[in-house]
Amino acid sequence: FWVCFKLLLKWVYEGICPNFFIPQNNMFLTKVHGSAQNRLFLQLHELYKKGLACLLQSSSIRSYIIDVLYNPRAFVCTDESIMKSEIQYDAELFFEINLKATIPTVDLHIYMKCLYAVEQLLNSPLTHYQVAMLQSLTASILQNTAFVLHNMYTNTSVNKQMYIADKISCHMLKLAAKFGCISDMLYIAMYYYKTLRYREALSVLEMTKVKLAQPYLMYRRRVDRERYTEAVGGKSWSTKMRQAVAKNIILDTRMYYINELIPEQQSAVKNWSPSLYIPVFVMLHFLEFLCYRYIDTTLSQAALDELQVLVHHDQGLYVPYHLRDTSWEILGICQQITGNLQAALYSYQQSLTQYPLNKIQTATQSRIRDVLQSTPWQ
């Protein structure tokens, strides 16, 4: 009743009631408009404010529900925040957090100020929403600080400084993974790959793979409701985020994470795009492919095969349609590395036909030129 009543309220407010069989036909067109529409909306809104108790005004329903509504021991929910399911709330909250939990800067001093602000906020009264948001923001700050620190000391000749910076970066990334979501572990793997620790990276990737395979995983508001409720229903958002939530990988375009994606980041910067967005499952297979190249070429090819199947055949479940530009691009990079130039050319061309959310077309066109110059069949 309440869902239908709210829909009616919306239709009266907008002055549009679509015909069931021909939705283009507005059944309010000659009857509900002007002052009559305004009066009707105000009457309905008065009922809406009373909640489900407004049903008492109906003589035919009143006798059935009056005993329940007047029974002090009975509880009839009229609070819409309670009427929403737990999963609906979780999905919307985590989706919103994932959109906003980034601080676009490569300035180490700003990140230090942010961490100080986090420390201050932890000592103040926060709502559950704010705790979840702060948790995700802190993970993002620590991840970016770790890579900024590493990039600062990469070219220094002082080994001791590099060693200290490396220890701090590793500690920050592990800390971020402890209270971030599942996909935040991939930043550790990226760092290990960047610093040539391929076996350590693969160990992290294996753990991440297991967690991403959980049947109750929530990714982009998609989730098995029953499994999710069984696994984390009733737990805090902080716990849910750590145990059951994955999000896309976000790379600041002015900060280098792995060399293979530098051209794409530079292309995005030229086109005023602050971030590069990569589906978490695409990034997982990409890193597996890159690391296994130095350990086991058979397993490297297996990772590439998994990536190819994912990009070619996914219907928007694990490779969102708006992130297909980076997904095809990454597949092409892997194929080019293995020497499969014809497949790489096809992937790059596919990348160019996708929605250009990440603004990587300049890099894609450059890679196509490189492939064409290298192909014996051209």
Side-chain angles (χ1 to χ4, degrees), residues 1-2 5-6 9 41-55 57 78-80:
F1 165 79
W2 201 246
F5 182 68
K6 286 199 297 178
L9 194 67
F41 175 77
L42 292 174
Q43 286 177 310
L44 290 172
H45 197 260
E46 283 303 310
L47 293 171
Y48 172 79
K49 287 195 291 185
K50 292 177 181 175
L52 291 177
C54 71
L55 291 171
Q57 296 189 19
T78 59
D79 183 341
E80 286 186 56

Side-chain angles (χ1 to χ4, degrees), residues 89-90 93-94 97 124-136 234-241:
Y89 247 113
D90 292 356
L93 176 70
F94 293 134
I97 284 174
S124 61
L126 297 171
T127 66
H128 294 302
Y129 299 100
Q130 289 170 330
V131 168
M133 183 69 195
L134 189 62
Q135 190 175 326
S136 188
K235 293 184 179 178
S236 70
W237 281 317
S238 176
T239 302
K240 287 172 180 174
M241 195 186 299

Side-chain angles (χ1 to χ4, degrees), residues 53 56 62 65-74 76:
L56 291 172
R62 180 186 172 91
I65 66 167
I66 192 165
D67 291 341
V68 178
L69 290 179
Y70 283 175
N71 184 346
R73 296 190 179 191
V76 179

Side-chain angles (χ1 to χ4, degrees), residues 244-256:
V245 177
K247 61 181 180 180
N248 295 319
I249 300 301
I250 304 173
L251 306 181
D252 190 303
T253 51
R254 297 159 299 169
M255 188 189 311
Y256 298 145

Side-chain angles (χ1 to χ4, degrees), residues 96-311:
E96 185 174 329
I97 284 174
N98 294 344
L99 287 178
K100 299 178 184 297
T102 54
I103 296 171
T105 182
V106 290
D107 188 327
L108 189 61
H109 296 292
I110 292 176
Y111 283 128
M112 292 300 103
K113 285 182 180 178
C114 289
L115 287 173
Y116 177 74
V118 167
E119 196 176 10
Q120 301 304 305
L121 284 166
L122 288 173
N123 295 319
S124 61
L126 297 171
T127 66
H128 294 302
Y129 299 100
Q130 289 170 330
V131 168
M133 183 69 195
L134 189 62
Q135 190 175 326
S136 188
L137 264 173
T138 307
S140 176
I141 293 165
L142 289 169
Q143 287 155 359
N144 287 345
T145 304
F147 280 97
V148 167
L149 201 59
H150 175 78
N151 291 336
M152 278 175 63
Y153 288 98
T154 297
N155 299 318
T156 182
S157 57
V158 184
N159 287 336
K160 188 177 179 182
Q161 286 183 341
M162 284 181 65
Y163 174 75
I164 293 168
D166 178 70
K167 280 197 75 172
I168 294 170
S169 292
C170 284
H171 179 67
M172 284 182 163
L173 289 167
K174 288 173 183 175
L175 194 59
K178 277 186 178 177
F179 53 77
C181 65
I182 293 169
S183 42
D184 285 321
M185 292 176 70
L186 292 184
Y187 291 88
I188 303 175
M190 269 190 279
Y191 184 81
Y192 281 152
Y193 174 72
K194 186 181 177 72
T195 54
L196 315 181
R197 286 173 271 196
Y198 307 119
R199 292 190 186 277
E200 289 94 328
L202 286 166
S203 175
V204 173
L205 290 171
E206 198 55 44
M207 285 190 286
T208 311
K209 211 172 186 178
V210 170
K211 292 188 176 187
L212 288 173
Q214 300 289 0
Y216 50 80
L217 180 78
M218 180 180 285
Y219 173 57
R220 295 184 62 249
R221 291 189 278 203
R222 293 178 185 271
V223 66
D224 182 317
R225 290 169 169 265
E226 194 174 320
R227 299 285 188 88
Y228 180 86
T229 304
E230 282 176 10
V232 293
K235 293 184 179 178
S236 70
W237 281 317
S238 176
T239 302
K240 287 172 180 174
M241 195 186 299
R242 284 185 282 108
Q243 295 181 357
V245 177
K247 61 181 180 180
N248 295 319
I249 300 301
I250 304 173
L251 306 181
D252 190 303
T253 51
R254 297 159 299 169
M255 188 189 311
Y256 298 145
Y257 299 80
I258 52 178
N259 293 341
E260 286 78 4
L261 289 177
I262 289 176
E264 282 64 33
Q265 290 180 269
Q266 290 172 337
S267 172
V269 167
K270 285 178 186 173
N271 291 286
W272 304 100
S273 181
S275 303
L276 211 61
Y277 296 87
I278 301 167
V280 60
F281 294 93
V282 170
M283 195 63 175
L284 174 75
H285 295 313
F286 183 36
L287 288 169
E288 273 190 318
F289 166 78
L290 293 173
C291 292
Y292 272 129
R293 282 175 56 235
Y294 299 93
I295 307 292
D296 187 326
T297 52
T298 305
L299 292 175
S300 178
Q301 184 58 47
L304 176 53
D305 292 342
E306 285 189 60
L307 177 61
Q308 184 166 317
V309 169
L310 181 66
V311 175

